[in-house]
Amino acid sequence: MRFEPVGTEEQIKQLAAMADEIWHEYWPPRIGKDQTDYMVDQFQSFEALIRDIRNGEYEYWFLVDDEADEERVVGYTGGKVEPETKRFFISKIYLYESERGKGYATRVIRFYNRLCGMRGLSAMYLTVNKQNDIAIRAYEAKGFETIEAAETDIGGGFVMDDYIMERKAD
């Protein structure tokens, strides 16, 4: 698998379209359509992504399966370095529904583990919705531990009710 950095305006447009599709496939049954729409608009729209990337806050990568006969984008991931805590915040790991359960998330965690090593970071962490049992079990199997719970007001009358999970870098 190849991790293709997202940086050009055209790539950011492609990422926003992909995020819209994946989020609307995955999240409405879990958090409702209204909150999904709000979160995509606030955090995954072209405007939000270009702001985060251009401000140097977040990095994003397309997940490209280049091992098959025909390479294809299977999802995306992104996050940011937090120098004050010496950790990498994994903000997103999203795969198309047809690509889940094929080991891509494991490769993403290995990628972040190497990235932490190259950047002198001691750990990686992420937030996961408390109701997302499948993801919680998957992260636990990859060495993440729940370190706290957080309810975050994200505006628009919505709250993210998450666990914060951390994994030490190798």
Side-chain angles (χ1 to χ4, degrees):
M1 184 159 77
R2 187 174 81 243
F3 293 79
E4 185 177 311
V6 174
T8 69
E9 191 168 305
E10 193 56 42
Q11 288 171 321
I12 296 168
K13 286 178 184 174
Q14 182 184 350
L15 178 62
M18 179 186 301
D20 185 63
E21 181 180 343
I22 293 172
W23 279 57
H24 281 94
E25 173 272 316
Y26 188 79
W27 284 112
R30 292 161 178 83
I31 62 173
K33 183 182 180 316
D34 289 345
Q35 185 167 346
T36 301
D37 290 344
Y38 179 81
M39 291 181 73
V40 167
D41 181 61
Q42 294 296 306
F43 307 115
Q44 295 294 285
S45 64
F46 173 75
E47 294 78 14
L49 291 166
I50 203 161
R51 176 195 64 227
D52 289 347
I53 292 169
R54 297 277 158 84
N55 287 343
E57 291 183 34
Y58 285 85
E59 302 169 82
Y60 288 93
W61 296 268
F62 290 120
L63 307 176
V64 181
D65 183 339
D66 57 0
E67 297 166 11
D69 290 340
E70 187 175 312
E71 72 177 31
R72 67 190 188 286
V73 176
V74 298
Y76 71 100
T77 189
K80 66 178 181 173
V81 171
E82 293 187 347
E84 64 280 359
T85 64
K86 296 188 67 76
R87 298 186 303 176
F88 192 91
F89 172 54
I90 303 171
S91 176
K92 319 246 178 343
I93 301 176
Y94 285 104
L95 299 166
Y96 286 112
E97 182 176 27
S98 62
E99 305 300 341
R100 294 185 198 129
K102 297 181 179 180
Y104 294 120
T106 298
R107 294 182 210 169
V108 172
I109 300 305
R110 281 194 297 240
F111 167 78
Y112 283 124
N113 190 58
R114 287 190 308 273
L115 189 74
C116 285
M118 291 185 312
R119 295 184 179 179
L121 304 172
S122 60
M124 63 195 87
Y125 80 100
L126 49 81
T127 59
V128 60
N129 183 285
K130 289 178 184 175
Q131 306 306 313
N132 197 347
D133 294 331
I134 293 170
I136 292 167
R137 285 194 306 274
Y139 291 133
E140 287 173 341
K142 291 165 184 46
F144 283 82
E145 296 179 0
T146 300
I147 59 171
E148 71 181 270
E151 285 188 21
T152 307
D153 182 338
I154 59 170
F158 300 110
V159 173
M160 291 188 341
D161 191 16
D162 296 330
Y163 290 122
I164 299 172
M165 301 182 77
E166 181 181 72
R167 180 185 186 276
K168 300 295 181 198
D170 297 336

